Amino acid sequence: MHLKLLIKNGHVIDPANKIDGVMDILVEGEKISKIGFGLDVKAETVIDAAGKIVVPGIVDMHVHLREPGREDKETIFSGTKAAAKGGVTSVLVMPNTLPSLDSVGVIKTLNDIIKKTANVGVFICGAITIGRAGKELADISALKKEGIIAISDDGGSVDSDELMLKAFKEAKREKVLVICHSEDKSLSGKGLVNRGFTSTRLGLRGISKESEYKRVARDIKLAEEIGASVHIAHVSTGESVEIIRKGKLKGVKVTSETAPHYFTLNEEDLLDYNTSMKVNPPLRTKDDVLAIREGLKDGTIDVIASDHAPHTENEKEIEFEHAEFGSIGLETELAVSVTELIGKGLLTWSELVKKISLNPARILDINKGTLGSGKDADITIVSPDKEWVVNKVGFVSKSKNSAFIGKKLKGVVEYAIYKGKVIYKA
Amino acid sequence: MTKKKTAKWVHKDLLGLEYLSREDIELLLDTAESFREILGRKIKKVPALRGKTVVNLFYEPSTRTRVSFEVAAKRLSADVINIAVESSSVRKGETLNDTGKNIEALKADIIVVRHNCSGAATMLARNVNVSVINAGDGWHEHPTQALLDMFTLRKKTGKLEGLNVSIAGDIAHSRVARSNIWGLTKFGAKVTVCAPKILIPPGIERMGVKVTDNIDEALREADAINILRMQFERDDMKAFPSQLEYFKSFGITEERLKKAKKDIIVMHPGPINRGVEISSEVADGGNSVILEQVTNGIAVRMAVLFWVSQVKDKGTSIP
């Protein structure tokens, strides 16, 4: 006999089943057993969700949880705690750990850690090349057997076209997704912020937009040649959006994601050298922000992912030039999206749920992102209009380097439920 | 001192001219006038900063600026401590913030900081309560240099408004250029920057300047030319033609000056490379105010030290 959990009177939004209205959800054990009006069931736990939004748990397909190797920044345990607080019930961890997620041994170790310490679903993205060095392909078929569902050299890009073609071939055969951090390092070099008036004003080396969009174009072209799927990570420029749009029109199997900071912040937010806003790719211009928003609206950008990139204070509270790239995002991504996209009328709740839950689940081909009966009971309950101010001391993540500190946001996660268990309660 | 002015100084720090108003700058320049006069006296000292401690925290080798700040502080009767830190980008050990907090704990009143990283002074100012004066941060700003350039120009010409000022040299990597541009344009001076195309940083027109890569064009209408030091020792200058080549195409020579206004003011923040960006004849010639700039630098820095020390509320003055 499974324990029952009943969520009453919440506004349920489940685009996969075209549900958008006040309903009850019954959870039995780890699964959703029933969705309907006025369910009259006795349950061990009842959550009154009146006035709240009930959505499929967020699937964040781009996070860095730093384990193994940099447990001072984040661990599977702390990162998935942070995820729960952000309403995120599934994450895809990137392979730029120490060592990289490029061998059977390290994946086995990681799987073990996940089994013992994870608070939400953790899926693994393996490396494309050994040591993410861009020289030699990792044994993707062996990694797949250990359970990886995607490959990426995230943090860098594979420069060699030949090697990348091989990777796409391999990925297609093994049915894993290729996720591209599209950056031509020969163009971005030692750059720190978007190249242009702002880099000049700040006296910092620039990172040109070309360094991203030329590589996006290449990655899409190579995927097309092989007929493989390709997912473009953290899109930051208007040009990239346009290139992806054209790729989709042409029928290439390309999907893409952006992070909350790319549709919210722009390069001018860096004028006081705030290192929490030092991210890669860099914050771009106001026009790029508009183009990203347009891409989200018209579906060119399928997914919002946090690119949660924790760093210690020692690595961030230093000279801008020496500070690490990256911002944490698991605990703010939903609220930033609610505030900026729903609040400004760009997306409806149903459309947002697609970007944060349904689409990433479909792209990764995992059994998540919807509330249908028989599905995993991964559920997030949100107070949509409740306001809060992002505060450094409030973070559950081990690291505090958020680009959104001090921002007033709308949308508070009240409950996160993972496989039928309440893992977070506000 | 500046009784006719009603402007009030409110800044705890001096981080850059971008963040000052025209009135702020005017107040500094007017104050510097008074201090400049003191420098001509037999007893060159006033008690304005008696009992205060100024720490020169220099992460980059600098003689001119450091000595100038030291002299300025001493003329104001402050105690001065010089700290020179080995400059290396990968230097381990105490962070800038920790060093700043330690200096603060030693009860210093003003930190004058020179650093090879853009934004270093801004970061320091955010993390300490004492006043921070930026003595040059990376390629970002060198506000007291620009103030002394403006002071020198104003003294020579009477006003900055409408003045044609050209800045020639490595604009891309120059904090002096940036501070001069922010300062001069606030006064309605017409600024032209001149450099080989690869040394023009992107979007600089948006700072309100004209751009040219032709030195004769930059000289033609100029009331003043500010010549920047070429740093051929920089790593990314390796791709650049030789020093001789630069001198041929951009060097300021008597020959070139003949085509400029007769009384064109020749400035240089120093140290000068004779035969690279400027010929010896021009550096030592009648149009040159290079040494005057050095003297004026003391007066300007006295003014800056004086005003930041007057701010009682040490809240941040970051924009």
Side-chain angles (χ1 to χ4, degrees), chain B residues 305-316:
Chain B
L305 288 164
F306 174 77
W307 279 115
V308 298
S309 76
Q310 300 302 303
V311 180
K312 294 283 178 285
D313 171 22
K314 301 292 189 190
T316 181

Side-chain angles (χ1 to χ4, degrees), chain A residues 58 60 62-67 70-93 110 113-114 117-122 306-310 328-333 395-400 416 423-424:
Chain A
I58 296 169
D60 186 339
H62 198 129
V63 305
H64 301 270
L65 299 191
R66 306 298 186 206
E67 198 168 5
R70 285 306 303 269
E71 293 81 358
D72 54 330
K73 296 178 195 246
E74 196 81 281
T75 60
I76 295 294
F77 178 79
S78 66
T80 52
K81 272 267 179 218
K85 191 184 174 210
V88 177
T89 53
S90 296
V91 294
L92 180 70
V93 293
L110 180 60
I113 297 167
I114 291 167
T117 66
N119 300 291
V120 304
V122 178
S306 67
D307 197 1
H308 181 80
I328 58 169
L330 278 166
E331 295 167 68
T332 50
E333 59 184 313
F395 284 112
V396 167
S397 168
K398 269 198 171 183
S399 296
K400 316 294 170 197
I423 52 165
Y424 173 78

Side-chain angles (χ1 to χ4, degrees), chain A residues 200-201 203 272-273 318-319, chain B residues 18 115 118 126 140 178 202:
Chain A
T200 290
R201 194 167 172 186
D272 62 352
Y273 297 92
I318 53 175
E319 294 85 340
Chain B
E18 179 182 357
H115 203 288
S118 297
R126 192 158 48 215
H140 175 226
R178 285 173 178 78

Side-chain angles (χ1 to χ4, degrees), chain B residues 15-72:
Chain B
L15 302 175
L17 295 196
E18 179 182 357
Y19 321 119
L20 297 188
S21 67
R22 176 177 172 155
E23 289 68 33
D24 289 331
I25 296 173
E26 252 165 6
L27 179 64
L28 291 173
L29 298 182
D30 291 347
T31 310
E33 287 291 349
S34 319
F35 286 133
R36 181 71 180 79
E37 183 260 321
I38 291 168
L39 293 177
R41 292 185 199 160
K42 268 202 188 115
I43 311 260
K44 304 181 182 64
K45 203 157 180 163
V46 289
L49 261 66
R50 207 165 76 190
K52 303 226 186 239
T53 304
V54 176
V55 173
N56 284 325
L57 178 61
F58 276 57
Y59 285 83
E60 258 187 358
S62 152
T63 314
R64 194 168 317 247
T65 305
R66 208 256 307 139
V67 170
S68 179
F69 266 108
E70 184 171 352
V71 172

